[in-house]
Amino acid sequence: MKRTLLLTSALLLAAAPAASARVVELGAQATAATPSCPGSPTDVCAAVVRMTGVQGRSAGGPKNPFYIRRDGYIVAFTVQLSQPTAEQITFFWDNFGSSAQVRLSVLRRGDTRKTRLNYRLVNQSSVFTLDKYFGSTPTFVLQKPLRVKKTNWLGITVPTWAPMFGKNLTNSDWWRASRDKDSCDPPKNLNQFALQTIHKVEAFGCTYHRERLLYTATYVPDPKQTTKTTK
């Protein structure tokens, strides 16, 4: 009996506590922003349409909130949706597609002065339909986590339209869109600019100030190595 007790004690001493993953919600540190729809007057409603965008700064949050500083995985993302009126929804259906859609994109930016506005699509989530979630903040868990590498960026891609947009915010709020420099303003910016072909490169030629794309991403960085070799 004594030998058994000693052995049990040794096993308990050798057992290590289970490791827990560090989880970071990228983009969540910013101050709250209200989506634009239905707007005042009620016929005014701004939504994101047919493009890929990257939030460069949000008031109250860090610079480059969607820049990846360590290899890891994206396991989910969240969008904050407004509640458009029935008339506004009909307008978007008629002009940009019958369903509001969104997907998360992993991008790699050019590293020279000439290419710093060029982004290559390196990975992307599946498409999620938003029609059932207007007026709420849904989180979409990815069936297959997206692998991200240090220096990658996370953008949001809208193939059709999505009411996940805040405007008339502070000077600290700005974002870039995958549009040509001569297509930043209507009606040209209503063309299709959504980046959806892996390895394709697009110039993010339009920067918008006092506006915000209302998304966050759930990021699990790789654990830091603490020993050089293990047995």
Side-chain angles (χ1 to χ4, degrees):
M1 179 65 68
K2 184 177 180 180
R3 182 176 298 175
T4 302
L5 289 174
L6 288 173
L7 179 59
T8 304
S9 299
L11 288 174
L12 289 173
L13 289 172
S20 59
R22 181 187 176 213
V23 179
V24 180
E25 193 68 17
L26 300 176
Q29 295 82 8
T31 55
T34 302
S36 66
C37 297
S40 180
T42 56
D43 61 341
V44 176
C45 179
V48 185
V49 296
R50 295 177 175 173
M51 60 91 230
T52 298
V54 177
Q55 191 69 33
R57 186 74 182 266
S58 299
K63 184 179 179 181
N64 300 324
F66 294 100
Y67 176 75
I68 302 299
R69 293 172 172 80
R70 195 199 310 176
D71 293 3
Y73 290 91
I74 303 299
V75 298
F77 71 99
T78 301
V79 291
Q80 183 182 355
L81 302 174
S82 62
Q83 179 63 71
T85 65
E87 291 80 9
Q88 291 165 349
I89 292 173
T90 298
F91 170 83
F92 288 119
W93 282 357
D94 292 343
N95 288 275
F96 305 112
S98 59
S99 294
Q101 296 178 339
V102 70
R103 63 197 311 186
L104 195 70
S105 297
V106 181
L107 306 164
R108 185 169 66 242
R109 194 177 75 172
D111 55 6
T112 68
R113 186 173 182 179
K114 290 184 178 181
T115 63
R116 64 184 179 87
L117 293 181
N118 292 344
Y119 289 78
R120 181 187 298 274
L121 180 64
V122 296
N123 209 343
Q124 198 167 48
S125 75
S126 56
V127 175
F128 294 88
T129 301
L130 305 176
D131 298 29
K132 297 180 181 179
Y133 308 107
F134 293 157
S136 68
T137 305
T139 295
F140 300 104
V141 177
L142 306 182
Q143 287 189 342
K144 182 179 180 180
L146 295 175
R147 182 64 171 165
V148 290
K149 296 288 187 178
K150 182 179 179 181
T151 73
N152 285 163
W153 297 74
L154 293 180
I156 202 77
T157 292
V158 179
T160 53
W161 65 282
M164 44 167 290
F165 181 70
K167 64 176 185 176
N168 299 325
L169 303 177
T170 73
N171 291 329
S172 298
D173 293 279
W174 61 270
W175 63 284
R176 288 195 177 99
S178 58
R179 293 172 176 148
D180 300 331
K181 289 183 178 180
D182 61 350
S183 301
C184 297
D185 300 317
K188 288 184 178 181
N189 69 1
L190 303 182
N191 295 331
Q192 183 57 266
F193 292 101
L195 191 55
Q196 299 190 90
T197 302
I198 301 297
H199 303 310
K200 187 176 182 180
V201 178
E202 289 287 355
F204 281 53
C206 299
T207 301
Y208 299 94
H209 295 273
R210 302 187 65 195
E211 298 177 353
R212 192 185 302 179
L213 304 175
L214 301 174
Y215 71 103
T216 63
T218 308
Y219 159 64
V220 181
D222 290 350
K224 289 184 178 180
Q225 184 175 341
T226 57
T227 56
K228 292 183 179 180
T229 59
T230 58
K231 291 185 179 179

